[in-house]
Amino acid sequence: MSEPASPSRPTTYVWPSLRYVDAPGAIDFLTAAFGFVATAVYRAEDDDTVVDHAELAWPPGGGIMLGTQRESADWPASTGQAACYLVTDDPDGLYSRAVSAGAGVVREPVDQDYGSREFSVRDPEGNLWSFGTYAGE
């Protein structure tokens, strides 16, 4: 069991983690297109273009981690292969924001038979981002 959340202890216990060839560009895109908030960005001491670790908060709750893909990394995750679903109460507004920021449209907003309104887009490195009103059972 996990310990209860407190003001000094975050309540996010699941962190989808992604790798990007251009992690600084990904941070810029994810904040502009989707509204993530960069809460921590640690860059390599010898190369400002390399992100060793970043945390981006999803304002309604939760977040993601990301970093620069490197051959020597202990964690060899590939770019462009992630798929994430995030809950939003304004899928149409977020869709417009994402498209304006350059997201590649996979599926325009649609009402699902299970009650969710959803859309899907790709970021510049090919990761699939789906957003909808479905927040789970």
Side-chain angles (χ1 to χ4, degrees), residues 17-36:
S17 300
L18 298 86
R19 290 289 184 244
Y20 285 91
V21 171
D22 177 9
I27 293 167
D28 291 344
F29 175 82
L30 295 170
T31 57
F34 304 148
F36 277 101

Side-chain angles (χ1 to χ4, degrees), residues 1-121:
M1 284 304 262
S2 62
E3 295 180 27
S6 71
S8 63
R9 182 173 169 80
T11 57
T12 301
Y13 298 108
V14 177
W15 290 90
S17 300
L18 298 86
R19 290 289 184 244
Y20 285 91
V21 171
D22 177 9
I27 293 167
D28 291 344
F29 175 82
L30 295 170
T31 57
F34 304 148
F36 277 101
V37 176
T39 56
V41 179
Y42 300 99
R43 298 175 187 262
E45 289 182 18
D46 61 341
D47 186 349
D48 197 39
T49 66
V50 174
V51 174
D52 288 330
H53 172 80
E55 296 177 13
L56 279 61
W58 180 238
I64 63 169
M65 293 183 191
L66 66 91
T68 300
Q69 180 179 356
R70 292 175 278 172
E71 293 294 325
S72 62
D74 294 334
W75 180 37
S78 297
T79 63
Q81 297 181 3
C84 298
Y85 176 85
L86 292 86
V87 177
T88 179
D89 61 359
D90 184 15
D92 294 293
L94 186 55
Y95 174 79
S96 294
R97 177 181 179 159
V99 171
S100 292
V105 176
V106 174
R107 181 182 60 189
E108 294 181 356
V110 62
D111 292 321
Q112 300 293 353
D113 58 2
Y114 48 87
S116 184
R117 182 151 179 85
E118 301 174 348
F119 72 91
S120 298
V121 295

